[in-house]
Amino acid sequence: LSQAKTDVLTTQSELDGLKTKVEELTAKETELDLTDIKKKEILASIPVGINQDEVIRNLMELTSTYDIALRSLGFGKGGSSEVGLGVLQINASFEGSYSDLTNFLAGLEKNDKGRMFKVKSISVQVAGSDTTSYKRAVFSLSIEAFYQQ
């Protein structure tokens, strides 16, 4: 009987600790103003698993939206964090005008259609035409995409 009472007291103290954590998380949720829609958007921006096909599809949609030509795409698995987030390294080459590039980067930053991207580096080469003043740029981006492990 005394062992059962001790177990009940231990379980009760664990329950009290969990209730306190729930209250803290609820307060933080209220502080962050997380509605169900915002929660879904956040979870969509950092999906579970690498899902490279979704990354390719998302980049293809962005390139067609901003009139950019995707020339090459390479992937590598990056590090992971203590909180269970992994990083997908993406090296991509695109072609378009300078204004296309800036619009594409703004769209990549906003990216309403998919996961969160972080541009780590940009390399640009400008190529002009002798017959016109129209200039095309070939730019390479090093991008990180995040996922839940």
Side-chain angles (χ1 to χ4, degrees):
L1 184 59
S2 65
Q3 179 63 35
K5 286 181 181 179
T6 304
D7 290 345
V8 168
L9 290 174
T10 303
T11 305
Q12 185 63 42
S13 67
E14 289 175 2
L15 179 62
D16 291 341
L18 290 174
K19 284 181 181 179
T20 303
K21 280 188 176 183
V22 168
E23 289 172 2
E24 289 173 2
L25 291 174
T26 303
K28 287 181 181 181
E29 182 180 41
T30 304
E31 180 182 317
L32 293 173
D33 188 32
L34 293 179
T35 62
D36 287 337
I37 294 172
K38 286 183 182 178
K39 286 180 193 176
K40 287 179 183 178
E41 287 174 358
I42 290 169
L43 289 175
S45 69
I46 305 176
V48 176
I50 293 177
N51 298 328
Q52 290 173 320
D53 55 336
E54 290 295 324
V55 173
I56 294 169
R57 190 174 297 115
N58 193 211
L59 287 173
M60 294 293 291
E61 288 174 2
L62 287 168
T63 57
S64 65
T65 300
Y66 295 101
D67 196 26
I68 296 288
L70 177 62
R71 295 293 177 217
S72 68
L73 192 60
F75 295 99
K77 197 170 181 180
S80 60
S81 70
E82 297 171 6
V83 293
L85 287 182
V87 177
L88 177 65
Q89 301 287 340
I90 304 165
N91 292 312
S93 178
F94 304 92
E95 183 178 341
S97 69
Y98 181 76
S99 63
D100 293 338
L101 167 65
T102 55
N103 291 336
F104 175 75
L105 289 173
L108 190 64
E109 182 179 286
K110 187 172 77 169
N111 196 15
D112 295 335
K113 298 179 182 180
R115 83 172 66 201
M116 181 173 67
F117 292 110
K118 179 180 179 183
V119 176
K120 296 293 287 181
S121 67
I122 303 171
S123 173
V124 180
Q125 293 178 326
V126 178
S129 172
D130 293 336
T131 58
T132 65
S133 62
Y134 186 71
K135 299 225 183 230
R136 297 291 287 175
V138 175
F139 48 97
S140 299
L141 300 178
S142 177
I143 305 168
E144 291 181 340
F146 302 95
Y147 63 93
Q148 299 175 49
Q149 295 179 330

